Amino acid sequence: MLLTLILLQGFSHTLAANHGSHWTYKGPHGQVHWSDDHLDCGGQAQSPIDIQTKSVRHNPALPPIEPQGYRSPGDGAFTLLNNGHTVEVSLPPSMFLRGLPQTYVAVQLHFHWGSRGQAGGSEHQVNGETFPAELHIVHYNSESYANVSEAKQRVDGLAVLGILIEVGNVANPAYDNILDRLKNIQHAGQKISIPPFDIHELLPGQLGHYFRYNGSLTTPPCSQNVLWTVFHQRARISASQLERLQGGLYSTEVANSLPVPLVDNYRAPQLLNQRVVFSSFPVGPSAYSAGEIVAIVFGTLFGCLSIFLTIHFVVKRIRPRINLFPLRQGRDSSKANGS
Ligand SMILES: *[C@@H]1O[C@H](CO)[C@@H](O)[C@H](O)[C@H]1NC(C)=O
Ligand SMILES: *[C@@H]1O[C@H](CO)[C@@H](O)[C@H](O)[C@H]1NC(C)=O
């Protein structure tokens, strides 16, 4: 009995010791428990958020993002890694960003996605709308800090580009540089070298229109040191490309006899609290979805038609009374005034 107790204690101690590094999106180590081990995850400036365009503040002084060195990122191979939480591509320091308050150098990119046949996958939302996936390109402030390990500890240390990904009719060849190779890193901890490719092609065309706010990493330790840029325009991949992302990886290591699919690796939107989301562009009528615009146009047309018909019939009913004495002159004058 005593031995069992001691064994149990030892076991729970081991669990507790492992706890910090072991996190998931659902279950006993899921996102609602992250703040037990990582205080920042319960902070007031967390990411992602649901961007409510009616509350966004337009700042015309925000310049377009200018990625430098994205098109030909050197000769060195990239590392493609399944880290058990996502697929990550290492990026060279020859890639950096202009258009932010300071210079930020690229570190890595990774994805968040959902699962087959289910809505959701992106971390950021726009007016409550989710997207099938999201790409994050992580940079650190190289103007103030020597390396990413140091920058990670500082409030102005990181800048992330968020690209919402939607599904279109055609494949996006830039994304195949990653998606074609997932079969070689199916299990957690596996990594391969891949040839460098044009990272700019992963971005949407319009880099001048974006949302900007102060937030955090979207995974533990959830450090609140990220200057976020979420592009308004989405990137597009095909349905079969999305399925390869959703069905290609496991969150478990190769030795594990019960492989767990790596899906639904997105965090729920966090409270905005006192923060302001800025936009580099006037978020006007585009705040309405296509469906809402159709509804508004038809609603207005129908309203006008109803008013017209009402007036038409009222006038028709009143006219005979006016014309009780059907004098020629009356008719003529009504014709003359008439429309
Ligand atoms: C990062 O920079 C700090 C400060 O200069 C230094 O102490 C540390 O060794 C560097 N770490 C790495 C991983 O290069
Ligand atoms: C982010 O926080 C810093 C420091 O408080 C502030 O100067 C900056 O204006 C904030 N940026 C945004 C986009 O809110």
Side-chain angles (χ1 to χ4, degrees):
M1 178 70 180
L2 189 66
L3 187 70
T4 319
L5 266 180
I6 290 168
L7 278 177
L8 269 179
Q9 259 185 350
F11 184 60
S12 61
H13 184 76
T14 316
L15 273 185
N18 279 336
H19 203 88
S21 59
H22 179 66
W23 56 267
T24 56
Y25 283 89
K26 285 185 184 134
H29 304 295
Q31 48 186 306
V32 290
H33 304 291
W34 289 355
S35 57
D36 299 348
D37 293 298
H38 307 278
L39 275 186
D40 280 354
C41 297
Q44 299 293 299
Q46 288 290 290
S47 293
I49 55 167
D50 176 11
I51 298 164
Q52 290 289 326
T53 53
K54 66 178 188 303
S55 315
V56 158
R57 196 179 299 164
H58 178 209
N59 178 359
L62 287 173
I65 296 294
E66 292 178 44
Q68 307 289 310
Y70 268 48
R71 291 221 176 264
S72 47
D75 298 325
F78 292 167
T79 301
L80 186 69
L81 165 72
N82 175 345
N83 69 12
H85 302 295
T86 186
V87 51
E88 187 177 301
V89 179
S90 62
L91 297 173
S94 57
M95 291 174 51
F96 61 97
L97 295 177
R98 287 220 182 96
L100 290 164
Q102 284 178 292
T103 303
Y104 287 82
V105 158
V107 184
Q108 48 102 337
L109 65 78
H110 62 265
F111 294 87
H112 299 271
W113 61 88
S115 45
R116 275 188 198 176
Q118 302 290 311
S122 68
E123 298 212 295
H124 286 94
Q125 301 183 5
V126 180
N127 297 324
E129 187 183 359
T130 62
F131 303 87
E134 186 167 335
L135 164 63
H136 289 161
I137 311 183
V138 181
H139 304 72
Y140 80 91
N141 181 342
S142 60
E143 214 165 303
S144 303
Y145 308 114
N147 52 49
V148 64
S149 334
E150 193 194 342
K152 268 182 185 168
Q153 323 285 329
R154 307 303 180 96
V155 287
D156 57 349
L158 302 175
V160 181
L161 302 183
I163 294 106
L164 301 167
I165 299 176
E166 63 184 11
V167 168
N169 293 325
V170 292
N172 186 328
Y175 281 79
D176 281 339
N177 288 294
I178 298 163
L179 299 176
D180 280 351
R181 297 181 167 99
L182 296 183
K183 55 184 179 297
N184 300 316
I185 53 151
Q186 279 196 302
H187 300 276
Q190 294 183 324
K191 61 180 174 187
I192 56 165
S193 290
I194 62 169
F197 62 93
D198 185 342
I199 300 293
H200 202 285
E201 289 294 309
L202 299 174
L203 303 174
Q206 172 58 275
L207 301 183
H209 290 186
Y210 57 82
F211 301 105
R212 167 70 47 77
Y213 77 99
N214 279 325
S216 74
L217 298 177
T218 63
T219 57
C222 310
S223 321
Q224 298 189 151
N225 59 1
V226 179
L227 186 57
W228 275 96
T229 301
V230 179
F231 291 110
H232 179 58
Q233 199 178 40
R234 286 119 212 187
R236 276 212 180 142
I237 62 175
S238 67
S240 79
Q241 284 184 309
L242 177 66
E243 284 185 4
R244 275 192 281 156
L245 187 59
Q246 292 170 334
L249 302 173
Y250 296 105
S251 63
T252 42
E253 289 177 4
V254 68
N256 199 314
S257 54
L258 292 170
V260 178
L262 175 37
V263 292
D264 295 326
N265 57 350
Y266 57 96
R267 191 186 193 191
Q270 305 294 300
L271 292 176
L272 190 59
N273 297 315
Q274 309 310 316
R275 292 175 290 176
V276 175
V277 180
F278 295 91
S279 68
S280 65
F281 62 105
V283 194
S286 60
Y288 296 104
S289 70
E292 283 170 324
I293 290 170
V294 168
I296 290 166
V297 167
F298 276 91
T300 310
L301 281 179
F302 183 74
C304 291
L305 189 66
S306 314
I307 291 168
F308 172 79
L309 288 176
T310 310
I311 291 172
H312 180 76
F313 285 117
V314 166
V315 166
K316 256 198 161 176
R317 275 177 160 248
I318 290 172
R319 227 181 231 164
R321 270 185 239 154
I322 295 173
N323 293 345
L324 266 182
F325 308 100
L327 297 173
R328 230 163 226 288
Q329 193 209 342
R331 258 190 220 160
D332 287 350
S333 77
S334 95
K335 245 183 205 167
N337 290 340
S339 35

